[in-house]
């Protein structure tokens, strides 16, 4: 078996998988931006980890439609480029078909990281957050003093609050 014959089909298959991943990621970015606007990776991770039992099927169907159309266009583009380049010199065409999809994949990963502030999220994970140590106050029974005439006491405790649910102000 000639190793050069094996490398060209493997390069084309790896390029095809990279192209698939790149177009899937790019179309997912476009859908998230279209549906939710400005969200961060922190919000995305939170919503992925929660149950989708109550999610309307409209979201799922709109995602599938958006991704399917984008993926079909991207796949058609790649097949066209592949057909055009395969008619040229074999070795250089295989290199281009191998490098181009991986370049597209790197660009789509970069777009994802910039759009959803992945670097800020990783930085916040690596840095120690002293907010709770500085602002938390444990409520003791000594802190609550009841007057002679009793009234209702309402204690609000905020456990966690996602950026998605905040009022922009």
């Amino acid at each position: 078996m000639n190793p050069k014959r094996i490398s060209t089909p493997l390069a084309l298959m790896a390029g095809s998988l990279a192209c698939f991943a790149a177009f899937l990621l790019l179309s997912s970015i476009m859908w998230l931006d279209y549906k939710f606007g400005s969200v961060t990776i922190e919000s995305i991770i939170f919503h992925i980890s929660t149950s989708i039992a109550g999610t309307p099927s409209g979201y799922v169907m709109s995602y599938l439609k958006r991704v399917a159309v984008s993926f079909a266009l991207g796949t058609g583009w790649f097949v066209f480029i592949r057909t055009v380049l395969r008619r040229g010199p074999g070795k250089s065409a295989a290199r281009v078909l191998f490098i181009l999809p991986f370049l597209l994949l790197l660009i789509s990963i970069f777009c994802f990281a910039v759009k959803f502030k992945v670097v800020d999220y990783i930085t916040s994970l690596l840095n120690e957050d002293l907010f709770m140590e500085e602002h938390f106050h444990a409520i003791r029974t000594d802190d609550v003093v009841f007057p002679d005439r009793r009234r209702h006491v309402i204690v609000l405790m905020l456990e966690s609050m996602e950026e998605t649910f905040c009022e922009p102000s």
Side-chain angles (χ1 to χ4, degrees):
M1 287 173 73
N2 188 356
K4 291 181 182 178
R5 287 187 169 266
I6 295 173
S7 66
T8 301
L10 287 177
L12 290 176
M13 187 169 68
S16 298
L17 289 175
C19 190
F20 168 76
F23 280 110
L24 182 66
L25 186 59
L26 285 173
S27 58
S28 296
I29 291 169
M30 290 186 305
W31 179 79
L32 281 168
D33 189 43
Y34 170 73
K35 276 293 186 187
F36 301 108
S38 178
V39 294
T40 61
I41 190 69
E42 196 169 13
S43 299
I44 294 171
I45 291 172
F46 172 76
H47 289 290
I48 287 175
S49 64
T50 59
S51 173
I52 64 167
T55 305
S57 61
Y59 281 116
V60 177
M61 291 308 295
S62 72
Y63 175 76
L64 292 176
K65 287 177 187 175
R66 182 83 151 192
V67 169
V69 169
S70 300
F71 178 69
L73 291 173
T75 305
W77 174 81
F78 181 72
V79 168
F80 172 74
I81 295 296
R82 180 179 168 180
T83 305
V84 169
L85 290 178
R86 278 189 78 101
R87 293 182 184 158
K91 198 170 192 179
S92 63
R95 284 186 188 145
V96 170
L97 288 174
F98 181 72
I99 293 171
L100 187 65
F102 280 101
L103 184 63
L104 182 64
L105 181 61
L106 287 175
I107 291 170
S108 63
I109 290 171
F110 177 76
C111 290
F112 182 83
V114 169
K115 173 73 180 150
F116 300 115
K117 301 176 184 172
V118 174
V119 175
D120 293 342
Y121 176 70
I122 293 172
T123 305
S124 71
L125 287 178
L126 297 176
N127 292 338
E128 186 177 348
D129 187 15
L130 300 175
F131 181 81
M132 289 302 288
E133 287 81 7
E134 293 172 359
H135 296 91
F136 179 73
H137 178 72
I139 297 176
R140 299 183 311 252
T141 56
D142 301 344
D143 294 341
V144 180
V145 178
F146 293 104
D148 293 336
R149 185 173 166 222
R150 294 245 174 170
R151 296 183 184 133
H152 296 289
V153 174
I154 300 173
V155 178
L156 298 176
M157 297 181 72
L158 183 62
E159 182 182 327
S160 66
M161 189 166 153
E162 310 308 324
E163 181 181 320
T164 313
F165 305 114
C166 292
E167 288 281 339
S169 55

